[in-house]
Amino acid sequence: MDDVRNPSGATAIKGTGVVAGVAYAPVVWVRPRPALPEAGATLTEDAREPEFERFSAAADTVAERLADRAATVEGVAADVLTATVGMVRDRGWRRTVKKNISAGHPAEYATVAATQKFVGMFEAAGGVMAERTTDLKDIRDRVIAELRGEPEPGLPDVEGEGVLFADDLSPADTATLDPAHIIALVTELGGPTSHTAIIARQLNLPCIVATGEGLRQIPAGEFVLVDGALGTVTRNAEEASARATVLEFRERAAVIAQWRGPARTTDGHRVQLLANVADGNAARIAAGTQAEGIGLYRTEMSFLSTSTEPTVEEQAAVYRKVFDAFPASKVVIRTLDAGSDKPIAFANMAQEENPALGVRGLRIALGNEGLLTRQLDAIALAAEGRGENAPTWVMAPMVATESEAGWFAGLCRDRGLTPGAMIEVPAAALMSDKLMPHLDFVSIGTNDLTQYTMAADRLSPQLAYLTDPWQPAVLRLVKETCRVGEDTGTPVGVCGEAAADPLLACVLTGLGVTSLSAASTALAGVGAQLSSVDLATCREVAEAVLDTSGAAAAREVARQMLLG
Ligand code: PEP
Ligand code: MG
């Protein structure tokens, strides 16, 4: 019983790690946002003009305060603050507030309603625009606080060191935070391209976004251990071991900063390191790292807020942005993994009791082949002109049977595309000898493979001890997949979060995995670890790990064998 829920009282909340790094410090929550007013009393005609002046004065004060802060910082931080000042001064927004006040609404409500209109427009535009709605809500809250004479919402004063927690951080908050005091950032909402992530990257602060509501249970002042590579916030960690983890991380960070690819073990065994991306922006960032190409392009992420299916040409334009970031390298693109936690409006999914076990991933295409074939047409169109040295591989998510693999491969080959499949359903791993003859490659999605092997929802913070890719049960399925890969000469990659863990990367290499794909920020850490060990040791560690009884023991065995 080495990995029952809570061997030392520690529990973890998981989010999306966007900047690697480890920190141990008490939690600091951002100051709360003002309560938003409902539509209320109607202003008399003669009160409306002065009310707009009151709004203008408050908005001007907020703009000046932010402009002053912009003048004290540099680089992206200054750009972000200047952009926010531009929003507070935006004529369209102010005109809408004025219209609302002219209709009789008090300034606070007029501000809320005007902002809501713009938030709706930004959300409908989707993508990067949708992520900017945090900025709009931030200026709304600052103006409302100013109108009420309340303190400005946002960063509190921090003595010593703290881990900053927030629902979502505004650009103005992130742009002015002081890394001498704030040593990590964790947000309930946000995405990898949100301002929080951009600034955290610039300041090199460990950062996790999108943890979900579980974060709110952690009060200010409680010590937490943040791991930005794994995306975990651990509560009740044992202090001495948490501090040792931080120290170890700092020593390793110095080595990692020096590491240059390509990745190989000390005896020259090559492992291809690739990046997981969600859009062209992430691909461009990845191109500036040691990534040798892209190992997982999650196409569904480009369409989360798109209500109607984009045309083949529109899709091709989106995909081309990712391909263009790697014009002379391999790109593995995944067809829409819609459903479950990634609803796509145009995929027409019915409500289901258990969406993770329902019609998701490739299963949607079984009843709607056109959705898949149009996407494959778009991929083929976007890939036109990519040379021999820039192969485009296409894989399907959630493949469970040989007939699904064969059907998908046929559709790809008809279009001159190289077919592969995600191995993320246990059945696919167990039947890989039947699936692989149809395919040119496979990529193991350890996130879902773990979820389905352990029968534990990957989004559940309580079940994080089960949804751990170190579970030997999961690694045994990886081993079986690699065995068949070796027998049939089929490359076997891993593109789940497991590939971002440097020690687990050694285990996966020992099991026979040929490429690892992870967030680009994690790749140097993985490469540096691989370059400190030989293949025989990776194999020995893998065997030892497979023989343990649970994730905690597996991790500990690997730590001892690889780090001493
Ligand atoms: C996985 O399941 O491991 C995977 C890479 O796919 P996603 O996380 O997008 O479901
Ligand atoms: Mg998956």
Side-chain angles (χ1 to χ4, degrees), residues 59-137:
D60 288 346
T61 305
V62 169
E64 275 158 34
R65 212 182 277 142
L66 292 170
D68 287 350
R69 271 186 223 156
T72 63
V73 292
E74 291 176 351
V76 180
D79 296 345
V80 162
L81 278 173
T82 309
T84 311
V85 171
M87 282 186 177
V88 194
R89 294 195 170 133
D90 182 75
R91 290 220 197 109
W93 179 66
R94 286 188 180 217
R95 251 199 317 272
T96 312
V97 176
K98 186 171 189 179
K99 218 170 98 202
N100 294 341
I101 293 176
S102 305
H105 295 294
E108 285 89 334
Y109 181 75
T111 306
V112 170
T115 308
Q116 198 44 45
K117 181 176 165 203
F118 282 82
V119 166
M121 278 157 45
F122 279 37
E123 278 171 354
V128 174
M129 289 296 278
E131 289 191 0
R132 296 293 171 264
T133 55
T134 305
D135 317 13
L136 285 171
K137 291 178 187 163

Side-chain angles (χ1 to χ4, degrees), residues 334 337 342 360 397-398 422 424 445 447-449 458:
R334 179 174 74 183
D337 187 19
K342 291 176 284 197
R360 60 165 293 203
M398 294 294 293
M422 299 270 303
E424 53 185 351
N447 307 336
D448 278 315
L449 187 60
R458 65 193 264 187

Side-chain angles (χ1 to χ4, degrees), residues 320 323-324 377-387 392 417:
R320 221 173 267 126
F323 293 168
D324 286 351
D377 288 341
I379 293 169
L381 183 62
E384 257 172 29
R386 280 171 66 77
T392 307
L417 296 167

Side-chain angles (χ1 to χ4, degrees), residues 286-303:
T289 70
Q290 298 297 306
E292 293 176 58
I294 292 189
L296 169 61
Y297 168 22
R298 291 179 163 103
T299 55
E300 67 281 358
M301 302 306 278
S302 300
F303 305 117

Side-chain angles (χ1 to χ4, degrees), residues 44-61:
T44 57
E45 289 281 347
D46 56 349
R48 296 177 189 178
E49 187 63 39
E51 186 70 348
F52 181 65
E53 276 161 26
R54 195 169 77 86
F55 161 79
S56 298
D60 288 346
T61 305

Side-chain angles (χ1 to χ4, degrees), residues 249-271:
F249 171 78
R250 289 197 183 137
E251 285 165 9
R252 273 187 50 72
V255 175
I256 289 166
Q258 303 299 323
W259 185 81
R260 295 290 173 272
R264 55 179 93 243
T265 56
T266 50
D267 53 332
H269 176 75
R270 281 276 283 115
V271 181

